[in-house]
Amino acid sequence: MGSPAPRVNNDTQTHRQQSLQIIQSSSHTASYRSTGTPSTREQEITFNINTRGTMVQTLNNMEELRKSSFGRPSPRHGLKLLFWFANDYIVIKNDNQMVADPDPKEGDFGFHHFQNRRECENNVCKRLLPYDGYPFYEVGNLHLPTSKSLPKYVREGNTHQIDTSNMDRLIISMRPDMTVDKVYVTQHEDLKSFDPVNTYCISRGLLMIICGHSLINFLKQAGYYTQNVIAPRESGDTRIDMEGGCRAPPSAAPGFWESYCTIL
């Protein structure tokens, strides 16, 4: 018969568990080292985290916005929410930076923190939005009492029923200096979750274009009054590394911003 298995000292085992230390961490890998007792060899364990997810397409002009079918047709409110945001919420400084006014942390207009949680299944982890290190804030839930400060034209189509009249949202990422880093639009795919496939990044160039329109003209060009809406994209179209950001909008010619919005 073989020798009996050696007894494990519970104190030593506990010590080894308590000495598990994070020695490296990034969005893709996390490495740990178990130091144990002085006589125990160091062991390193690396966990590879798959961070691939659904691509966030950037919309750069009115044609791309219209083809996305975001916020339409009536009674959806996403296009009206986007128009309000571009014309009345952000302030464009003379260095072309977008400044939030007021701070979304104050909760005006129904703004509240958006977690952008990583959800993992079968070792594949996804976020709705690319993580850039900045906090996210969401607006557009017309059921919140604070949303009553939104303009009437944004709220008037809300039926207070379970339908499409409250499915659209706008999400921004904020830098510490109060400038808006990125702007996203999305829609609910059910009562709990947002649809990652029909989530879009709105370029600063498109926001400036929207500033140059009246509400009615903007809605017409965006196809809001057209009933033949292109079907939303189906899941599984494209996958990318979620740690990447939006595609940068094309560089604008001199005087581009001034031709659309007043620069403060």
Side-chain angles (χ1 to χ4, degrees):
M1 295 180 62
S3 302
R7 295 179 59 186
V8 177
N9 187 306
N10 290 333
D11 292 338
T12 300
Q13 186 177 34
T14 301
H15 176 77
R16 293 180 62 183
Q17 291 175 347
Q18 291 176 344
S19 63
L20 191 66
Q21 301 172 355
I22 298 177
I23 62 172
Q24 180 182 357
S25 179
S26 70
S27 58
H28 299 283
T29 63
S31 298
Y32 300 85
R33 173 175 297 158
S34 177
T35 56
T37 61
S39 61
T40 304
R41 291 186 304 173
E42 290 185 345
Q43 297 178 345
E44 290 189 9
I45 307 172
T46 300
F47 298 90
N48 293 314
I49 302 174
N50 187 339
T51 57
R52 293 174 61 83
T54 305
M55 174 181 287
V56 179
Q57 177 185 348
T58 299
L59 306 180
N60 295 294
N61 52 55
M62 291 297 296
E63 181 181 1
E64 292 177 357
L65 177 62
R66 183 170 57 252
K67 288 182 177 180
S68 75
S69 298
F70 170 74
R72 64 187 181 96
S74 178
R76 291 182 63 175
H77 69 301
L79 288 174
K80 297 178 179 180
L81 183 69
L82 181 59
F83 179 87
W84 162 79
F85 178 83
N87 282 273
D88 298 324
Y89 184 75
I90 54 173
V91 176
I92 307 298
K93 296 294 186 178
N94 54 11
D95 58 357
N96 293 332
Q97 294 298 314
M98 299 181 293
V99 179
D101 184 26
D103 188 339
K105 289 189 295 186
E106 297 177 3
D108 294 334
F109 307 108
F111 268 106
H112 58 278
H113 189 252
F114 175 68
Q115 296 291 339
N116 196 34
R117 294 186 180 91
R118 188 196 303 268
E119 298 182 1
C120 299
E121 183 177 356
N122 297 325
N123 295 324
V124 176
C125 299
K126 302 178 184 179
R127 299 180 193 270
L128 177 69
L129 304 175
Y131 180 69
D132 55 11
Y134 299 126
F136 292 95
Y137 296 91
E138 168 194 344
V139 70
N141 185 352
L142 301 180
H143 293 166
L144 296 178
T146 48
S147 70
K148 292 181 179 179
S149 55
L150 286 168
K152 182 179 179 180
Y153 67 80
V154 177
R155 299 179 286 108
E156 61 186 0
N158 185 21
T159 65
H160 301 280
Q161 304 296 322
I162 301 177
D163 55 19
T164 62
S165 66
N166 191 40
M167 69 183 296
D168 299 323
R169 299 292 186 272
L170 186 147
I171 303 173
I172 59 177
S173 59
M174 291 293 301
R175 298 175 182 173
D177 60 358
M178 286 296 298
T179 59
V180 178
D181 184 62
K182 292 184 178 68
V183 180
Y184 300 93
V185 292
T186 188
Q187 65 188 48
H188 271 282
E189 61 181 359
D190 53 40
L191 294 178
K192 181 180 179 181
S193 302
F194 291 119
D195 183 355
V197 177
N198 289 289
T199 296
Y200 302 93
C201 181
I202 304 297
S203 73
R204 182 163 49 186
L206 178 53
L207 290 171
M208 298 302 101
I209 292 172
I210 295 172
C211 285
H213 290 281
S214 66
L215 175 61
I216 297 299
N217 189 36
F218 166 68
L219 293 177
K220 286 181 178 178
Q221 290 203 27
Y224 183 75
Y225 301 110
T226 303
Q227 294 301 317
N228 296 327
V229 179
I230 300 173
R233 294 184 297 166
E234 296 182 358
S235 299
D237 283 0
T238 313
R239 299 173 70 84
I240 63 166
D241 184 348
M242 286 299 285
E243 300 305 321
C246 302
R247 296 196 308 271
S251 57
F256 175 81
W257 308 122
E258 291 84 350
S259 65
Y260 287 100
C261 291
T262 301
I263 307 298
L264 300 182

